[in-house]
């Protein structure tokens, strides 16, 4: 059974970098699949942030691309997300998920999510 | 502002049926597969339907999906109190080059 667990600071100051890690268990990232990040501001809907393949190739939401970096560490079996120049608008629950890509796109396994608040 | 529009809320009595619409365009729903996610209060989203109408293992056949043109629909029959949740549609948008989610629909069991 694939399991994902997000972790990172719950509070980030404005203009600083938000850094999160997603630890994957039950599946080796180096074996394949895509791994995505999705966020949800309090009381609002879901927003796709970006996706990385086990090889390291990335695909970012154009609306966030200038501030986003997603990386993969196959030795630790984890994926990381960095959001630069944080603002209050980045306050959200951040989820990592396994993404199925090909002729179809969907997220089949999700982490429990971690709340990040951007505030001074 | 999401490119996929859903009704904010739907409701029905236990045992009844509800349908949730997801309206998009030719750059997303019409030419790409649609998936649906269920988000119970305080929990992470869960895949309910993928590739328009396929159910992952463990999802009861009370949940069904369909697609026609630029719209997709999620149906829930035999409504249960445990179905109270937010439901989101999702698909790839070829114009935006982004995965997009619907605005979300809250299902209430009366």
């Amino acid at each position: 059974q694939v399991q994902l667990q997000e972790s990172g600071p719950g509070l980030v100051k404005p203009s600083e970098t938000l850094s999160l890690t997603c630890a994957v268990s039950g599946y080796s990232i180096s074996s394949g699949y895509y791994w995505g990040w999705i966020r949800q501001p309090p009381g609002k809907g879901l927003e796709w942030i970006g996706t990385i393949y086990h090889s390291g190739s990335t695909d970012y939401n154009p609306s966030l691309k200038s501030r986003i970096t997603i990386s993969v560490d196959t030795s630790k079996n984890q994926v990381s997300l960095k959001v630069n120049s944080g603002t209050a608008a980045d306050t959200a629950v951040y989820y990592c998920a396994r993404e199925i890509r090909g002729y179809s796109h969907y997220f089949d396994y999700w982490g429990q999510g971690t709340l990040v608040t951007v505030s001074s | 502002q999401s490119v996929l529009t859903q009704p904010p809320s739907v409701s029905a009595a236990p045992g009844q049926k509800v349908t949730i619409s997801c309206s998009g365009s030719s750059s997303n729903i019409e030419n790409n597969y649609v998936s649906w996610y269920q988000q119970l209060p305080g929990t992470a989203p869960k895949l309910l339907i993928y590739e328009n109408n396929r159910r992952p293992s463990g999802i009861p056949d009370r949940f069904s999906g369909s697609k026609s043109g630029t719209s997709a629909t999620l149906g829930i029959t035999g409504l249960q109190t445990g179905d109270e949740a937010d439901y989101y549609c999702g698909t790839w948008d070829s114009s935006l080059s982004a995965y997009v989610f619907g605005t979300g629909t809250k299902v209430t069991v009366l």
Side-chain angles (χ1 to χ4, degrees):
Chain A
Q1 178 78 344
V2 179
Q3 293 184 315
L4 302 94
Q5 178 70 58
E6 305 88 348
S7 62
L11 182 63
V12 175
K13 288 183 169 53
S15 80
E16 295 188 346
T17 296
L18 183 163
S19 297
L20 297 175
T21 298
C22 173
V24 179
S25 59
Y27 185 82
S28 173
I29 288 179
S30 58
S31 296
Y33 284 110
Y34 293 82
W35 306 89
W37 287 95
I38 299 102
R39 70 181 182 180
Q40 184 174 36
K44 297 187 178 181
L46 302 168
E47 179 182 37
W48 172 70
I49 299 170
T51 293
I52 190 165
Y53 191 48
H54 70 92
S55 63
S57 63
T58 54
D59 190 9
Y60 297 145
N61 189 325
S63 68
L64 298 168
K65 188 173 184 177
S66 63
R67 299 195 296 125
I68 300 296
T69 302
I70 298 177
S71 58
V72 62
D73 186 334
T74 54
S75 66
K76 294 182 179 179
N77 216 42
Q78 64 186 31
V79 178
S80 297
L81 167 70
K82 291 186 186 299
V83 181
N84 299 322
S85 306
T87 70
D90 295 315
T91 294
V93 175
Y94 285 76
Y95 298 100
C96 61
R98 190 176 78 170
E99 181 178 347
I100 304 302
R101 279 202 174 196
Y103 63 94
S104 180
H105 286 258
Y106 56 92
F107 299 93
D108 61 350
Y109 289 97
W110 294 65
Q112 66 183 32
T114 187
L115 174 63
V116 178
T117 301
V118 180
S119 175
S120 55
Chain B
Q1 192 80 5
S2 177
V3 298
L4 303 181
T5 303
Q6 300 178 229
S9 63
V10 297
S11 60
Q16 298 301 302
K17 175 182 179 179
V18 295
T19 59
I20 300 170
S21 60
C22 176
S23 178
S25 67
S26 59
S27 66
N28 42 66
I29 290 179
E30 186 169 38
N31 291 293
N32 293 287
Y33 283 109
V34 176
S35 53
W36 289 89
Y37 304 88
Q38 177 194 57
Q39 186 174 32
L40 296 170
T43 70
K46 172 185 175 182
L47 180 66
L48 211 57
I49 297 287
Y50 66 100
E51 292 176 5
N52 301 336
N53 55 20
R54 301 183 68 177
R55 283 175 287 106
S57 174
I59 301 300
D61 59 7
R62 299 188 299 106
F63 296 92
S64 64
S66 64
K67 189 182 89 167
S68 179
T70 59
S71 293
T73 301
L74 173 71
I76 310 174
T77 59
L79 203 59
Q80 301 175 1
T81 55
D83 297 331
E84 286 201 331
D86 293 323
Y87 293 82
Y88 294 91
C89 57
T91 188
W92 184 257
D93 189 295
S94 305
S95 293
L96 297 175
S97 294
Y99 191 91
V100 291
F101 290 97
T103 50
T105 298
K106 182 176 182 60
V107 170
T108 300
V109 182
L110 301 173

